Amino acid sequence: MTLGIIGAMVEEITPLLERFGDYETKQVGGNNYYEIKKGKHRIYVAYSKIGKVHAALTASTMILHFGCEKIIFSGVAGGLSTDLKVGDLVLGTKLCQYDVDITAFGHPLGFIPESKVFIESDSALNAVASDIAKAQGIKLKQGIIASGDAFIADSAKKQWIITHFGADAVEMEGAAVAVVCDLLKVPFCILRSISDSADGSADVSFDEFLESSAKRSADFVIMMCEQILK
């Protein structure tokens, strides 16, 4: 099995590399991919850099260049649902792009021709995550994650995303990974830990809780890897 794990920032993959230990660094397209050998298995870890374009490039490279058979995204997100607080984990069962808008042509928000508004993540990987959460007594909310190329720190924009997409969390990469994996028929899972509430105080909360929330997501992904590769 060859498994790919993506984070958007250094802080999101540092806990993974620290836990995995030995790795080799390979460079493709100006980005580093860290190869971890686990017996007959391979794990590739990379931080894509922020945004949908970088996330799509990284996911594509992992699949087409390194042959990754499953992709997991680990990182932080802004909470939209009222029952989410900082540190809570969210599993994206559906991903959408809130900043895609061709409604002028009669299409719904988030829709791209020959595609769809919502892309569903892999049920088998989600089941692994759900089983681990139950076994460990960890709260894991499953729901919709909305992605777009903006950091949401405005209450009105937050409510707009909730109203139009019913999203539980918002971030900047997940839906791009979903599009790539869906088109290339590779199972994927998007796991996020809440770092802020995507409102007027989001910038302060994000800086304060980025590392702790990223570590919480990474720790959970490590458990997923152990389960998938055993």
Side-chain angles (χ1 to χ4, degrees), residues 158-177:
K158 170 183 175 177
Q159 188 56 52
W160 182 90
I161 296 170
I162 295 171
T163 298
H164 289 285
F165 297 97
D168 297 288
V170 62
E171 36 88 307
M172 300 177 66
E173 297 85 22
V177 173

Side-chain angles (χ1 to χ4, degrees), residues 22-95:
D22 294 336
Y23 54 82
E24 293 182 23
T25 303
K26 301 178 183 295
Q27 192 172 77
V28 179
N31 204 11
N32 290 328
Y33 294 80
Y34 304 97
E35 181 187 57
I36 297 102
K37 297 176 181 177
K38 292 285 185 181
K40 62 182 180 180
H41 304 296
R42 296 290 184 272
I43 301 172
Y44 289 91
V45 178
Y47 77 93
S48 58
K49 296 186 284 291
I50 292 170
K52 292 190 296 177
V53 171
H54 289 118
L57 175 59
T58 300
S60 299
T61 301
M62 282 189 163
I63 296 167
L64 299 175
H65 185 82
F66 293 109
C68 290
E69 300 163 77
K70 300 179 189 296
I71 298 290
I72 300 174
F73 196 104
S74 173
V76 300
L80 300 179
S81 177
T82 56
D83 64 346
L84 286 172
K85 63 181 186 299
V86 170
D88 284 348
L89 293 174
V90 180
L91 185 67
T93 54
K94 294 181 180 180
L95 289 297

Side-chain angles (χ1 to χ4, degrees), residues 44-208:
Y44 289 91
V45 178
Y47 77 93
S48 58
K49 296 186 284 291
I50 292 170
K52 292 190 296 177
V53 171
H54 289 118
L57 175 59
T58 300
S60 299
T61 301
M62 282 189 163
I63 296 167
L64 299 175
H65 185 82
F66 293 109
C68 290
E69 300 163 77
K70 300 179 189 296
I71 298 290
I72 300 174
F73 196 104
S74 173
V76 300
L80 300 179
S81 177
T82 56
D83 64 346
L84 286 172
K85 63 181 186 299
V86 170
D88 284 348
L89 293 174
V90 180
L91 185 67
T93 54
K94 294 181 180 180
L95 289 297
C96 63
Q97 300 181 70
Y98 70 78
D99 58 352
V100 169
D101 186 350
I102 53 171
T103 54
F105 299 99
H107 296 298
L109 280 167
F111 178 79
I112 293 175
E114 299 182 42
S115 185
K116 46 204 167 187
V117 175
F118 295 99
I119 295 177
E120 296 185 4
S121 52
D122 182 65
S123 59
L125 286 175
N126 291 346
V128 170
S130 181
D131 289 345
I132 290 171
K134 289 178 182 177
Q136 297 292 325
I138 297 171
K139 176 185 175 182
L140 178 66
K141 182 177 180 63
Q142 299 190 32
I144 297 171
I145 295 179
S147 305
D149 285 316
F151 180 81
I152 303 302
D154 176 76
S155 295
K157 187 64 174 182
K158 170 183 175 177
Q159 188 56 52
W160 182 90
I161 296 170
I162 295 171
T163 298
H164 289 285
F165 297 97
D168 297 288
V170 62
E171 36 88 307
M172 300 177 66
E173 297 85 22
V177 173
V179 168
V180 170
C181 291
D182 185 58
L183 291 173
L184 296 177
K185 308 301 181 187
V186 171
F188 72 94
C189 173
I190 308 294
L191 182 74
R192 295 285 190 169
S193 179
I194 299 302
S195 60
D196 60 85
S197 296
D199 56 16
S201 61
D203 54 341
V204 176
S205 177
F206 180 83
D207 288 338
E208 182 178 358

Side-chain angles (χ1 to χ4, degrees), residues 207-220:
D207 288 338
E208 182 178 358
F209 295 109
L210 169 60
E211 289 190 13
S212 61
S213 293
K215 185 178 184 301
R216 183 164 173 77
S217 180
D219 288 344
F220 194 92

